[in-house]
Amino acid sequence: MNRKRFLKHSMITGVGAGLIGFAPDRLLANKREDKRLTILHTNDTHSRIGPFPKNASQYAGMGGVARRATLIKKVRDQNPNTLLLDAGDVFQGTPYFDEYHGALDFRVMSKMGYDACAIGDHEFDNDVQGFCDVADKANFPFVCSNYNFGSTDMSYLVQDFITKKVGDIKVGIFGLGVDFQDLVPDHLHKGVSYMNPVIISRKMVSELRHTHHCDMVICLSHLGYDYDNYRVSDRLIASQVDGIDLIVGGHTHTFLDKPEVFEKSDGRKTLVTQVGFAGIVLGRIDFEFNTQKKVTGAVAMNHAVGGPESYS
């Protein structure tokens, strides 16, 4: 969905909704909270602490961490079995980054209770040490499996993956970062190298499914949604790697009102989603599991952060 169309849709309804696998009444009628998992997600927030000005040419009055926090709390009150995830590029974009170098972003994300965050290319804008200098302001883990951090301090701060128990569902979360070529100058990512995300993703899925016995696998990707050139994208990962339930994407600032669904040969589905940039949308997908802890369906419901009352 292009941005103009997205805004028209979201400002009228306040939400973009899509059904994947079953009717919403079935999900809402399920009172067993341990079998319903809500995923909230953001990407490319780019240091947008406050909302866009009301006189902005685009997205006037939209976004802001206070409104996002209010939405997050409301969803968690409805379902405590909720994960809050970010697909990277927290850094860069407003004077808040120029002044606080990302420390403020990590503090407010910590207060909102983020569970994991990917590494975007802009996380290197103040070089490797610049990221390390403010990473201690985050009380959530960073994940990226296809960057080799070598002997840099980032090797102590970024994990290949994490696992979390949410209700009785065990979730494995791994991260992917975009190729540095033509994006990040060599001196800014010195000591950190890029590895093939397709190969790494297959390794991560195998480890999470078979070694850690995860019921659900989520990829936090900063690869980008789709390309016409050589770059590996979320859509390519979804089509070439089996065993991923959800890819939460970033980098290309793509507005998807509902996830794209990839049917896999083993009968599973891989969902790919992304919610633009600057925190003007809070992505949401509610997953339902059966008694064998298998995903049986999902409902997507992306919340506009702001709404019609923010427009003059």
Side-chain angles (χ1 to χ4, degrees), residues 154-171:
M154 285 187 81
S155 65
Y156 304 104
L157 299 170
V158 184
Q159 304 174 58
D160 288 344
F161 65 87
I162 63 167
T163 63
K164 291 185 72 75
K165 200 73 176 290
V166 189
D168 68 349
I169 304 299
K170 189 173 184 180
V171 183

Side-chain angles (χ1 to χ4, degrees), residues 60-82:
M62 292 289 293
V65 297
R67 290 183 180 132
R68 193 194 320 163
T70 299
L71 281 171
I72 290 165
K73 182 181 184 303
K74 182 177 180 180
V75 173
R76 283 187 174 132
D77 287 344
Q78 295 169 350
N79 183 15
N81 293 337
T82 294

